């Protein structure tokens, strides 16, 4: 305790050397008891100094009892409390080998689980940490707790760190504990899909569906199947069958109207309607499902959160009674899991850049995001009064927002992330709105959905539960995009220099067979043309599907070029320059990809529909003053594609209008857009005060 470890060790070894062999075991046990007692006392003091002393004592204990598993575990636990724990600590302790031998006595299962949690939190990618996780399995007395200990870091590893293979490994360890655990199976299916192993994702989803006994379980199992089928691309018939079955399941769930779903089931239901707008442009039907399913989820959240939402509401009512139109800055909170190098991050960054921090105090809540990412810090943390990096516990995030007394909370994720859905359903802020990340969620606790005059028709309010708040010109604006060095050349792709190049750069779930057929018809009408497809997921399946469509139209497969991914968004944008015309998707248009296309000055053919995601490209084109390429029907889509392909002068004219719009269009004026958003916030707050 005085820092003289060597002298202490010499002292007790001298004492032990003076006893005979019969007394040695007794004296050694007494020494262990003294050291153990003091280590525990130091640990109970809970200071950095006491933890350091405890760690030193436990290392000395290890020299006396090198196979004492519980002491070795305590060494790791104290190291975690000192914030020095890493995977490198495991091998010197020989802990994995001792656990694998299985001849250890009296291992504390709760201590083991606690240490495993610390190891996976501090150094989850270390090989020794993963070996440790496997070695712990036989000692997990509480199977459910063991699965939670493994699956929670697996989620973070998959979605924050991008190491899906490690996440799959941990999820499969969970199945060693319980091969029919629905939670583990659900995450494993999602991990496989993220890793691009769609066949295994489908296999696990079908297994989940077969095991599930409840209607919510069946809904989520079928959602997982639908997810792998649609995102892989090309399995259009099977995906359509799964979608029709899915609608029937959703109708049954709405009719049942359960309000007592457990937390896992409630959260899983939020995302269960995700793929509806990818399949059909039927906003009234789609919104019916969104609104009713999220209402079921919200009712269950209020049930299991034990009065948390009611407490917030009472506080909001109290504050409203005494609130006045004060001059203090409004507290604006943004919550998202995607404020990084992601479409949400690329588009939201300009709002943060241009916010008036004298009138608005910005609080940002990052969900399950790595804190060290440069992009996140440059664009968001540096433009925020208070930034909080939080895990995936929506109840705790909601409490953070409530304690910060946020006036207006903006959700950037909608139903793409169940955690933010849980937060919004609890309503920790008196005013809540959804913006940017997707269509509106339909969660009853959300007050507004931010749009513009183009992206949603006036009639849309009939099927939205949120009040549609239309900004004056556009619901999104950027100051531009970074452009890298292109990696594509026509000669490298065996494309003649005088050919017309069409391009589609969307992910598999945005590709619909009906629109793909229209794209083949365009190609057929423009003989000296090629079609470049990027953003493929299951490349072989997508190739096969498009080649079949091409051959049905009498088009040689040589005219289809399937492009690999590129290392960065900047390179992707530079590569857009190879195209003469970009062909948009339908019924789910591009959003970020459309903005990038327009910024690069490339003519775009889009079909406009009725739902929000079918009108994105239309709204953006209208905001730069370009109507060429906007089609209201399938026939017009083909006509515009052919016309652009056959008329180079028209392409040049449209490209010139796009470039000129950089100086005049509201789409490229993020500073003015930010003022419009801020004015909306002020009006929302004024409306709220008027309810007194």
């Amino acid at each position: 305790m005085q820092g003289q470890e060597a002298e202490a060790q010499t002292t007790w070894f001298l004492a032990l050397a003076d006893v005979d062999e019969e007394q040695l075991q007794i004296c050694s046990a007494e020494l262990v008891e003294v050291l153990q007692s003091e280590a525990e006392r130091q640990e109970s003091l809970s200071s950095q100094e006491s933890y350091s002393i405890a760690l030193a004592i436990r290392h000395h204990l290890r020299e006396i009892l090198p196979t004492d598993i519980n002491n070795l575990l305590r060494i790791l636990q104290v190291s975690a409390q000192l914030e020095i724990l890493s995977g490198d600590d495991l091998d010197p302790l020989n802990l994995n080998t001792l656990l694998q031998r299985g001849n250890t006595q009296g291992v504390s299962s709760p201590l083991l689980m606690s240490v495993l949690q610390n190891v996976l939190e501090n150094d989850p990618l270390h090989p020794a940490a993963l070996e440790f996780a496997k070695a712990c399995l036989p000692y997990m007395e509480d199977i459910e707790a063991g699965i939670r200990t493994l699956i929670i870091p697996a989620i973070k590893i998959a979605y924050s760190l991008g190491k899906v293979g490690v996440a799959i490994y941990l999820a499969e360890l969970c199945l060693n504990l319980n091969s029919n655990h629905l939670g583990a199976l659900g995450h494993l299916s999602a991990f496989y899909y993220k890793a691009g192993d769609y066949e295994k994702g489908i296999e696990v989803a079908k297994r989940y569906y077969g095991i599930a006994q409840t209607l919510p379980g069946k809904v989520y199992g079928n959602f997982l199947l639908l997810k792998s089928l649609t995102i892989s691309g090309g399995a259009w018939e099977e995906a359509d069958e799964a979608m029709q079955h899915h609608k029937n399941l959703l109708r049954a769930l709405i009719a049942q109207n359960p309000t007592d779903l457990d937390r896992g089931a409630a959260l899983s239901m939020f995302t269960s309607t995700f793929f509806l707008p990818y399949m059909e442009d039927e906003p009234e039907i789609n919104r019916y499902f969104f609104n009713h399913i999220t209402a079921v989820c919200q009712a269950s959240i209020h049930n299991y959160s034990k009065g948390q939402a009611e407490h917030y509401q009472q506080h909001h009512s109290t504050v409203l009674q005494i609130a006045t139109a004060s001059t203090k800055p409004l507290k604006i909170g943004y919550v998202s899991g995607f404020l990084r190098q992601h479409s949400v991050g690329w588009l939201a960054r300009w709002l943060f850049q241009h916010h008036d921090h004298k009138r608005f105090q910005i609080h940002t809540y990052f969900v399950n995001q790595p804190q060290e990412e440069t992009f996140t810090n440059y664009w968001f943390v540096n433009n925020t009064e208070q930034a909080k990096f939080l895990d995936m516990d929506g109840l705790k995030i909601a409490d953070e927002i409530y304690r910060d007394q946020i006036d207006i909370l903006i959700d950037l994720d909608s139903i793409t992330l169940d955690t933010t859905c849980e937060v919004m359903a609890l309503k920790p802020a008196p005013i809540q709105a959804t913006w940017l990340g997707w269509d509106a969620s339909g969660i009853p606790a959300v007050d507004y959905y931010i749009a513009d005059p183009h992206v949603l028709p006036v009639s849309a309010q009939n099927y939205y539960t949120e009040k549609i708040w239309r900004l004056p010109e556009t619901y999104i604006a950027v100051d531009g995009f970074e452009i890298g060095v292109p990696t594509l050349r026509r000669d490298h792709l065996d494309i003649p220099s005088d050919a017309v190049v069409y391009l589609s750069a969307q992910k598999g779930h945005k590709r619909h067979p009906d629109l793909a057929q229209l794209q083949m018809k365009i190609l057929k009408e423009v003989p000296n043309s090629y079609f470049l497809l990027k953003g493929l997921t299951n490349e072989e399946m997508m190739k096969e599907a498009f080649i079949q469509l091409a051959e049905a139209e009498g088009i040689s497969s040589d005219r289809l070029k399937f492009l690999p991914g590129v290392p960065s968004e900047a390179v992707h944008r530079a590569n857009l320059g190879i195209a003469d015309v970009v062909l948009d998707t339908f019924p789910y248009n591009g959003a970020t990809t459309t903005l990038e296309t327009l910024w690069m000055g490339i003519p775009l053919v889009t079909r406009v529909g009725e739902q929000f995601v079918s009108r994105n490209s239309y709204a953006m084109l209208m905001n730069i003053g370009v109507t060429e390429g906007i089609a209201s029907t399938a026939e017009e889509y083909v006509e515009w594609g052919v016309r652009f392909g056959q008329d180079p002068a028209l392409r040049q004219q449209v490209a010139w209008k796009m470039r000129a719009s950089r100086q005049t269009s509201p789409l490229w004026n993020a500073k003015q857009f930010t003022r419009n958003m801020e004015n909306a916030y002020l009006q929302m707050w004024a409306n709220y005060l008027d309810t007194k």
Side-chain angles (χ1 to χ4, degrees):
M1 292 173 62
Q2 296 176 1
Q4 300 177 36
E5 290 182 51
E7 291 83 349
Q9 192 175 27
T10 300
T11 301
W12 69 61
F13 278 139
L14 286 173
L16 291 173
D18 285 342
V19 300
D20 57 37
E21 189 171 344
E22 292 183 0
Q23 293 294 314
L24 181 60
Q25 188 172 358
I26 298 173
C27 291
S28 295
E30 184 178 347
L31 173 61
V32 167
E33 185 178 345
V34 170
L35 294 175
Q36 179 73 28
S37 176
E38 183 58 28
E40 290 174 356
R41 189 181 77 83
Q42 292 292 337
E43 288 162 6
S44 70
L45 297 176
S46 302
S47 70
Q48 292 298 96
E49 181 181 2
S50 65
Y51 285 141
S52 295
I53 294 172
L55 184 61
I57 292 172
R58 290 203 172 278
H59 275 296
H60 287 298
L61 272 169
R62 175 182 160 238
E63 292 180 359
I64 300 168
L65 298 173
T67 61
D68 184 339
I69 291 285
N70 289 330
N71 182 61
L72 299 178
L73 292 172
R74 291 286 183 189
I75 289 174
L76 296 173
Q77 189 175 58
V78 175
S79 296
Q81 290 162 329
L82 287 167
E83 299 182 352
I84 59 173
L85 177 64
S86 79
D88 290 334
D89 297 327
L90 289 162
D91 285 339
L93 297 178
N94 203 34
L95 185 57
N96 289 339
T97 301
L98 291 171
L99 289 170
Q100 289 163 2
R101 285 176 182 168
N103 58 355
T104 55
Q105 298 294 324
V107 176
S108 169
S109 182
L111 174 61
L112 184 76
M113 301 276 282
S114 175
V115 171
L116 176 58
Q117 181 178 348
N118 286 328
V119 169
L120 291 177
E121 284 177 356
N122 285 276
D123 203 356
L125 304 182
H126 197 288
L130 301 179
E131 185 183 356
F132 178 54
K134 184 177 181 180
C136 289
L137 295 183
Y139 304 92
M140 292 183 177
E141 296 173 356
D142 186 336
I143 299 300
E144 192 64 31
I147 289 175
R148 285 198 303 273
T149 301
L150 293 168
I151 208 66
I152 290 173
I155 294 168
K156 182 176 182 179
I157 290 165
Y159 301 113
S160 291
L161 304 181
K163 302 296 183 182
V164 190
V166 176
I168 290 172
Y169 175 83
L170 292 176
E172 289 177 337
L173 288 184
C174 293
L175 297 182
N176 288 340
L177 295 171
N178 180 355
S179 60
N180 291 331
H181 192 277
L182 289 178
L185 284 169
H187 288 297
L188 181 59
S189 177
F191 295 157
Y192 276 135
Y193 127 75
K194 187 171 178 60
D197 194 340
Y198 303 105
E199 290 184 5
K200 284 191 176 179
I202 291 169
E203 176 187 328
V204 175
K206 289 180 177 178
R207 183 174 161 194
Y208 183 109
Y209 184 88
I211 294 171
Q213 298 297 313
T214 65
L215 181 55
K218 293 292 187 184
V219 170
Y220 190 64
N222 198 67
F223 162 76
L224 291 171
L225 175 60
L226 197 56
K227 184 176 188 177
S228 288
L229 288 172
T230 55
I231 291 181
S232 66
W236 290 319
E237 289 186 11
E238 192 175 353
D240 184 64
E241 290 176 6
M243 175 57 76
Q244 300 314 313
H245 181 54
H246 200 61
K247 288 181 178 179
N248 291 333
L249 291 170
L250 292 174
R251 289 188 186 96
L253 184 64
I254 291 169
Q256 194 179 90
N257 193 31
T259 59
D260 58 350
L261 298 176
D262 63 38
R263 192 178 186 187
L267 295 184
S268 68
M269 289 304 95
F270 273 121
T271 57
S272 64
T273 57
F274 180 79
F275 291 101
L276 292 171
Y278 289 89
M279 309 291 276
E280 294 178 328
D281 178 32
E282 296 286 352
E284 190 165 359
I285 296 173
N286 292 342
R287 294 304 319 168
Y288 169 83
F289 286 118
F290 298 153
N291 298 339
H292 282 79
I293 293 298
T294 54
V296 166
C297 296
Q298 178 171 299
S300 294
I301 290 170
H302 286 201
N303 187 39
Y304 69 65
S305 63
K306 299 178 180 178
Q308 192 169 337
E310 290 75 10
H311 173 69
Y312 297 158
Q313 186 57 46
Q314 290 172 5
H315 175 79
H316 300 333
S317 300
T318 302
V319 170
L320 180 60
Q321 291 173 6
I322 62 174
T324 59
S326 75
T327 57
K328 72 176 182 67
L330 274 181
K331 286 187 176 182
I332 309 297
Y334 294 97
V335 57
S336 177
F338 304 103
L339 292 174
R340 45 186 169 83
Q341 294 191 66
H342 177 278
S343 288
V344 169
W346 288 112
L347 303 186
R349 56 181 172 155
W350 302 105
L351 179 64
F352 284 74
Q353 180 91 343
H354 293 300
H355 257 313
D356 183 345
H357 293 269
K358 293 180 180 178
R359 295 197 300 163
F360 300 91
Q361 189 179 99
I362 308 304
H363 294 245
T364 308
Y365 303 91
F366 299 89
V367 181
N368 197 34
Q369 285 190 216
Q371 189 169 350
E372 64 276 4
E373 189 179 276
T374 302
F375 182 91
T376 296
N377 279 276
Y378 179 82
W379 288 101
F380 301 108
V381 175
N382 292 344
N383 291 300
T384 295
E385 272 71 32
Q386 186 178 75
K388 292 186 176 180
F389 288 83
L390 305 165
D391 61 18
M392 298 190 73
D393 189 330
L395 302 180
K396 292 181 180 178
I397 296 171
D399 255 347
E400 289 281 353
I401 294 168
Y402 168 73
R403 283 195 293 268
D404 291 338
Q405 296 296 285
I406 297 302
D407 297 315
I408 302 176
L409 179 63
I410 308 299
D411 163 33
L412 302 177
D413 299 343
S414 188
I415 67 165
T416 62
L417 188 62
D418 54 12
T419 302
T420 48
C421 289
E422 186 176 41
V423 171
M424 301 305 284
L426 290 164
K427 199 160 191 179
I431 302 172
Q432 300 195 148
T434 299
W435 172 65
L436 187 61
W438 205 70
D439 200 347
S441 65
I443 296 172
V446 177
D447 303 289
Y448 299 107
Y449 180 54
I450 297 173
D452 65 36
H454 303 293
V455 80
L456 281 178
V458 175
S459 61
Q461 189 61 69
N462 295 333
Y463 41 82
Y464 277 81
T465 57
E466 304 91 340
K467 178 177 175 57
I468 299 173
W469 192 289
R470 290 180 175 83
L471 298 177
E473 297 167 313
T474 175
Y475 82 93
I476 183 61
V478 299
D479 282 343
F481 292 100
E482 297 84 350
I483 311 299
V485 177
T487 58
L488 291 180
R489 289 174 57 95
R490 292 192 176 203
D491 55 346
H492 293 169
L493 295 172
D494 294 325
I495 297 176
S497 59
D498 62 344
V500 174
V501 174
Y502 294 99
L503 171 69
S504 175
Q506 301 288 15
K507 292 182 179 178
H509 49 304
K510 286 191 177 183
R511 300 191 188 280
H512 192 281
D514 293 346
L515 194 81
Q517 286 181 327
L518 300 183
Q519 291 168 339
M520 294 303 103
K521 291 182 182 299
I522 293 170
L523 209 61
K524 182 178 181 179
E525 293 296 320
V526 184
N528 188 28
S529 64
Y530 291 78
F531 190 25
L532 277 55
L533 292 104
K534 182 180 176 293
L536 307 178
T537 41
N538 189 331
E539 187 172 343
E540 290 306 314
M541 183 179 291
M542 187 64 75
K543 279 184 178 180
E544 182 180 350
F546 269 93
I547 289 172
Q548 286 180 357
L549 290 173
E551 290 176 346
E553 291 289 340
I555 299 169
S556 170
S557 61
D558 294 341
R559 294 170 62 189
L560 303 179
K561 304 293 182 180
F562 301 93
L563 305 178
V566 293
S568 71
E569 288 85 353
V571 172
H572 156 72
R573 296 173 197 131
N575 284 343
L576 292 176
I578 197 173
D580 296 299
V581 184
V582 169
L583 300 178
D584 197 13
T585 48
F586 181 87
Y588 202 116
N589 293 168
T592 306
T593 52
T594 293
L595 281 170
E596 292 167 333
T597 298
L598 304 187
W599 181 255
M600 293 296 293
I602 302 169
L604 176 77
V605 179
T606 187
R607 182 178 172 188
V608 57
E610 292 299 317
Q611 62 184 350
F612 176 85
V613 296
S614 298
R615 299 174 66 87
N616 258 314
S617 297
Y618 160 76
M620 293 168 185
L621 283 166
M622 294 297 289
N623 270 301
I624 65 169
V626 173
T627 57
E628 295 88 344
I630 297 175
S632 298
T633 65
E635 292 74 20
E636 288 182 10
Y637 184 91
V638 175
E639 289 170 7
W640 273 116
V642 173
R643 188 175 171 189
F644 273 136
Q646 295 177 343
D647 192 343
L650 177 62
R651 297 199 300 269
Q652 290 178 355
Q653 177 188 348
V654 171
W656 179 87
K657 290 171 71 174
M658 289 178 173
R659 287 192 292 270
S661 75
R662 290 187 180 187
Q663 302 301 318
T664 58
S665 170
L667 199 65
W668 313 126
N669 190 342
K671 188 172 184 179
Q672 181 57 52
F673 166 77
T674 303
R675 299 291 85 81
N676 291 340
M677 282 283 276
E678 291 173 342
N679 289 337
Y681 294 159
L682 292 171
Q683 188 59 57
M684 289 175 188
W685 185 247
N687 291 352
Y688 177 68
L689 295 181
D690 285 344
T691 63
K692 286 193 297 183

